[in-house]
Amino acid sequence: PEHTLYRCLSDAVDDWSSSSSSGSSSGSNSSNSGSSGGVLADYTTVDTFRDPLVQQHQQQKQQKSAAARSPAYIVYVESKSVPSGESVSESNRKLSALLDEQLQQSHHVFRSFRAKNAIGEPQVRLVRPGSFKEMRGSLVEQGMSPNQLKMPRVLRSDRLAALLQEHVLPPTASA
């Protein structure tokens, strides 16, 4: 459910921010989503079957087969504050592991699917500040009322997934 993902993701962002600031690499299973660490600005998910990177790779190789790994969710995350000093690639890896841990602790069905390798670890991708504002603008341009707009938490549009992928922070940049 959406509220479980939101809570787990908020806690993972907070744990990531505090562990990166203190130099620790383990999550603290915090439950104070309003802490002074990294604050979740916005997020959305897309399943790996809609992953723009996989689609691009398949087009380049002229392959139509699905990826060989277990299906998983890609979670695009915009954080209001980001710890400095580590690469975006390392931040994405840490956030992915923390989110996976939080979800397994909070949701027994997810934990069961992970144990059976029926679903892969969520893949967090940090996006530039303002990415979701741009996505909202795109949705309004498509005819959605700005007063009625609710950010989709699971993208079913390849175009919107590609738009967010264009805003992913470069892996070698510092978070």
Side-chain angles (χ1 to χ4, degrees):
E2 183 180 331
H3 68 279
T4 302
L5 175 60
Y6 173 77
R7 184 177 41 77
C8 290
L9 186 55
S10 293
D11 288 349
V13 169
D14 286 345
D15 287 351
W16 162 65
S17 178
S18 63
S19 71
S20 294
S21 299
S22 66
S24 165
S25 63
S26 64
S28 63
N29 194 19
S30 74
S31 58
N32 57 343
S33 297
S35 72
S36 61
V39 179
L40 182 63
D42 214 337
Y43 73 96
T44 193
T45 62
V46 63
D47 62 55
T48 50
F49 300 113
R50 291 195 184 278
D51 182 1
L53 293 180
V54 170
Q55 290 177 356
Q56 180 183 28
H57 183 260
Q58 287 176 348
Q59 287 172 355
Q60 289 172 351
K61 293 204 170 216
Q62 305 267 325
Q63 295 176 345
K64 298 291 181 188
S65 63
R69 62 182 183 234
S70 298
Y73 279 101
I74 297 157
V75 185
Y76 291 99
V77 173
E78 184 176 324
S79 178
K80 291 181 182 176
S81 65
V82 183
S84 60
E86 68 185 18
S87 71
V88 170
S89 181
E90 180 67 11
S91 293
N92 286 341
R93 187 195 64 72
K94 284 182 181 179
L95 267 171
S96 296
L98 286 166
L99 178 58
D100 187 47
E101 179 182 318
Q102 291 282 348
L103 285 168
Q104 288 191 56
Q105 289 176 2
S106 299
H107 200 278
H108 71 279
V109 174
F110 182 81
R111 182 175 50 249
S112 171
F113 282 176
R114 288 287 288 127
K116 294 185 267 187
N117 206 24
I119 189 168
E121 179 180 89
Q123 302 168 29
V124 173
R125 295 182 186 166
L126 289 169
V127 296
R128 293 190 304 264
S131 298
F132 283 89
K133 183 178 181 181
E134 187 172 327
M135 189 165 121
R136 279 184 187 85
S138 178
L139 289 167
V140 169
E141 285 176 8
Q142 289 180 346
M144 293 185 87
S145 167
N147 298 329
Q148 300 287 323
L149 181 67
K150 182 176 185 250
M151 182 57 64
R153 295 303 172 204
V154 178
L155 293 180
R156 305 210 190 288
S157 162
D158 291 341
R159 186 186 64 75
L160 291 175
L163 182 136
L164 277 180
Q165 185 59 43
E166 290 172 8
H167 289 80
V168 169
L169 293 169
T172 56
S174 291

